[in-house]
Amino acid sequence: MKIAMIGTGYVGLVSGVCFSDFGHEVTCVDKDPRKVEMLRNGEVPIYEPGLQALMARNVAASRLTFTGDLKAAVDGAEAVFIAVGTPTRRGDGHADLTYVMAAAEEIGRALTGYAVIVTKSTVPVGTNAAVRAAIQATAPEADFDVASNPEFLREGAAIDDFMRPDRVVVGVTSERAKKVMGEIYRPLFLRDFPILYTDLETAEMIKYAANAFLATKITFINEVARLCEKVGADVKQVSKGIGLDERIGNKFLHAGPGYGGSCFPKDTSALARIGQEFAAPMQIVETVIKVNEEVKRRMVEKIMDLCDGSVNGKTVAVLGVTFKPNTDDMRDAPALTIVPALVGGGAKVRVVDPQGRSEGEHLLPGVSWMDDAYAAAKGADVVVLLTEWNEFRALDLTRLAGAMATARMADLRNIYSPKDAEAAGFVAYSGVGR
């Protein structure tokens, strides 16, 4: 099938590349000429394991192209995906639909025949109806249907998530649109991956409800972790004990410095706002947002306590600043709360992150960037494990402690055990919920 993918951000690029690997003819569209040129040269503007090789393979097979010409891409396309950004709108917490609606109007002007206009971006309930109205207003004679197809991609594992999904959710209002979407996802259907067809509003709600629930699990275990510290329990064992209950499950029950990234902060905020607008307050979600911010601040207090109440004049080595490993994404990362607080407290902060420097350099002023954990720890007063990159999971703790002025560790991901840290020469160790 011929597909146009509007937007080459994280969702649009991964989806476009993967659709082309299904055998479809995909044209990815972006308004930024530099980005288009970069993609045409085989350069990927985001870090996602395996994406560059997959993109190159499908470009070489002539199934994947990049352009800034939306009209040409839409001409003859059987499906046009909207995968533009929906950032949190400043001031009210709602999703900003400016780019979505602009894309819808431009698509309407470009349609030359029947097509399904598919919203891939995460959008509030009712947006697809608004997209339909915008296209009809722009092109009253246009022949089209609207579909909702939310993404469920984990950064760092997006290709596998697309190719081997837990489920594919498709909101449609006609059999014609359902048939087109069925053909697009036929490779997954043939391998028995679940495809759930719903109405538009249900598909929109599934996306928000899923992310809010996962954010709630993370925040719940972080609250439990705080109580564990007070009563002397070990949150890792608590997580294991409750996670073995199949009704609960063991995913997203790892205590840490709070959630961040491109989805959870934005989507919980938007869902809370939707609830307020429809006089059905999402009180649990609102509390999750509040507690998550408190968790981040509590991590700063942990580091301060390790340094006898003050980091002024202290050297702090921070290992990992992206919101999770295997991505370069810094959006709403706990590091954006924790590191500035350390700098503001007078600390000399050294940062090591395999992929975070490109974004982090302008987001975290006043820090020194280093390439090696041991070099960063040399002469440091405390080392902070903030993102669980594989590079930081098997450090030589004896070597690390030996390089430090004072061997203290704030293990905010519970990577190491207190006993191992003590045996390696650390005089102070602080985990989360232990």
Side-chain angles (χ1 to χ4, degrees):
M1 301 189 76
K2 184 176 180 182
I3 295 172
M5 183 68 63
I6 314 303
T8 61
Y10 186 84
V11 173
L13 186 58
V14 171
S15 299
V17 169
C18 289
F19 278 141
S20 68
D21 206 57
F22 284 176
H24 301 307
E25 180 186 334
V26 180
T27 302
C28 292
V29 183
D30 202 283
K31 286 186 174 294
D32 185 345
R34 291 174 300 177
K35 200 172 185 183
V36 172
E37 187 63 24
M38 186 183 210
L39 290 164
R40 285 175 172 170
N41 290 332
E43 301 174 49
V44 178
I46 59 174
Y47 176 75
E48 179 61 36
L51 184 58
Q52 188 161 20
L54 193 64
M55 186 177 88
R57 184 170 80 204
N58 285 285
V59 168
S62 300
R63 291 190 296 264
L64 179 64
T65 56
F66 303 96
T67 184
D69 189 345
L70 183 145
K71 185 175 178 62
V74 170
D75 185 17
E78 293 155 280
V80 182
F81 283 78
I82 299 175
V84 296
T86 54
T88 299
R89 193 164 63 197
R90 185 171 295 178
D92 65 3
H94 215 310
D96 187 343
L97 300 178
T98 302
Y99 303 115
V100 171
M101 301 315 296
E105 292 173 6
E106 196 169 348
I107 290 166
R109 290 190 291 269
L111 288 173
T112 57
Y114 176 77
V116 180
I117 315 304
V118 189
T119 305
K120 197 74 174 165
S121 305
T122 300
V123 294
V125 178
T127 301
N128 280 278
V131 166
R132 181 196 291 117
I135 296 173
Q136 287 174 334
T138 302
E141 304 302 319
D143 185 16
F144 71 98
D145 277 306
V146 169
S148 177
N149 179 213
E151 55 83 19
F152 299 96
L153 305 177
R154 295 169 300 160
E155 294 189 38
I159 293 172
D160 191 57
D161 283 349
F162 199 100
M163 299 297 194
R164 302 173 57 83
D166 295 322
R167 77 291 201 197
V168 175
V169 175
V170 181
V172 291
T173 58
S174 75
E175 285 300 317
R176 194 180 184 188
K178 183 177 179 181
K179 183 178 179 181
V180 170
M181 297 303 292
E183 284 299 313
I184 289 172
Y185 282 107
R186 181 176 169 80
L188 296 182
F189 176 78
L190 292 174
R191 289 188 288 150
D192 293 325
F193 290 107
I195 300 179
L196 175 64
Y197 290 98
T198 71
D199 56 57
L200 296 175
E201 291 77 14
T202 300
E204 291 166 334
M205 182 57 79
I206 286 171
K207 170 65 176 179
Y208 278 111
N211 277 355
F213 189 80
L214 295 175
T216 300
K217 287 189 75 174
I218 293 170
T219 306
F220 173 80
I221 202 63
N222 281 334
E223 281 226 292
V224 170
R226 184 178 188 182
L227 184 56
C228 284
E229 292 172 4
K230 301 289 187 180
V231 302
D234 185 337
V235 76
K236 289 196 76 170
Q237 293 300 311
V238 172
S239 295
K240 185 175 182 180
I242 65 176
L244 289 170
D245 186 330
E246 62 182 17
R247 297 168 300 174
I248 297 173
N250 61 3
K251 303 293 186 183
F252 289 84
L253 285 178
H254 302 288
Y259 63 76
S262 61
C263 294
F264 289 178
K266 174 175 69 70
D267 293 350
T268 50
S269 177
L271 184 58
R273 183 61 178 158
I274 293 167
Q276 292 165 4
E277 285 190 354
F278 285 88
M282 305 297 292
Q283 296 178 65
I284 292 175
V285 176
E286 290 173 359
T287 302
V288 164
I289 295 167
K290 174 178 174 289
V291 171
N292 189 60
E293 291 306 310
E294 293 171 355
V295 168
K296 296 177 188 178
R297 292 191 292 271
R298 191 157 57 87
M299 298 302 109
V300 177
E301 294 171 6
K302 279 183 171 293
I303 300 166
M304 295 283 190
D305 289 344
L306 274 178
C307 295
D308 303 318
S310 174
V311 292
N312 187 35
K314 301 288 199 304
T315 298
V316 182
V318 177
L319 306 186
V321 289
T322 54
F323 88 94
K324 63 181 288 189
N326 296 322
T327 181
D328 58 355
D329 199 340
M330 291 284 296
R331 283 175 285 185
D332 283 297
L336 298 181
T337 297
I338 296 167
V339 173
L342 297 176
V343 173
K348 299 173 184 177
V349 179
R350 301 168 181 169
V351 173
V352 181
D353 191 288
Q355 295 293 331
R357 185 167 184 170
S358 58
E359 283 194 37
E361 277 191 318
H362 70 276
L363 292 172
L364 297 173
V367 308
S368 300
W369 290 86
M370 305 185 77
D371 296 324
D372 177 73
Y374 302 104
K378 186 176 182 180
D381 297 284
V382 60
V383 61
V384 179
L385 287 158
L386 188 48
T387 308
E388 66 275 36
W389 285 91
N390 282 338
E391 290 91 324
F392 306 142
R393 286 183 176 275
L395 292 169
D396 182 337
L397 294 186
T398 303
R399 179 183 172 190
L400 198 70
M404 298 175 69
T406 309
R408 294 177 280 207
M409 176 188 290
D411 184 359
L412 305 186
R413 296 288 181 175
N414 290 338
I415 297 173
Y416 299 101
S417 74
K419 286 184 179 180
D420 287 345
E422 183 181 354
F426 280 90
V427 297
Y429 169 95
S430 179
V432 179
R434 311 170 89 178

